[in-house]
Amino acid sequence: MREAYVTDMKMLLFLATLAAAPFLMGAAPMLAGEPPQRRSDQMSALQARKTGAPSLREIESRVIPTMRGAQYLGSDYDSGSAIYTLKFLRDGTVIWVDVDGRNGQIVGRTGR
């Protein structure tokens, strides 16, 4: 019985080493980096903030209180349209609220 345990532990150690190999060989920065589109969207949002557009936190502070009974899941930003999409969950239904990132106005909503 002990031999089976030792064999299982050796296999587990081997698999853990195999999984860690890219990080040990210096590939971690490439794997851990943000996708290029996400970096671009973040830079666009930062530039908009510099021109007086509301921050995501300001937008959240306006929208979240209007979504009583819904759990806030997070947001996405589309730099092409300057739209934040805030995601909520209520009674098993996902609700998306689209907000203009230039002025903070709600421009669309799907779900109930």
Side-chain angles (χ1 to χ4, degrees), residues 7-101:
T7 303
D8 288 345
M9 292 307 292
K10 285 181 181 177
M11 180 59 77
L12 183 61
L13 180 59
F14 171 74
L15 292 174
T17 304
L18 189 62
F23 295 97
L24 298 173
M25 295 174 19
M30 180 181 68
L31 296 173
E34 295 274 343
Q37 180 60 41
R38 183 162 175 96
R39 277 194 299 264
S40 173
D41 288 346
Q42 290 173 345
M43 291 303 297
S44 296
L46 177 62
Q47 291 300 322
R49 283 286 299 133
K50 289 180 179 179
T51 62
S55 70
L56 173 59
R57 299 297 169 241
E58 292 170 332
I59 291 171
E60 289 172 337
S61 70
R62 293 180 198 161
V63 176
I64 292 173
T66 68
M67 299 297 295
R68 289 186 173 76
Q71 176 186 2
Y72 179 54
L73 301 176
S75 66
D76 286 327
Y77 179 72
D78 179 15
S79 62
S81 62
I83 298 291
Y84 283 98
T85 301
L86 281 63
K87 298 176 213 172
F88 297 88
L89 181 65
R90 180 188 298 136
D91 300 327
T93 301
V94 178
I95 303 164
W96 292 273
V97 178
D98 295 329
V99 180
D100 189 324

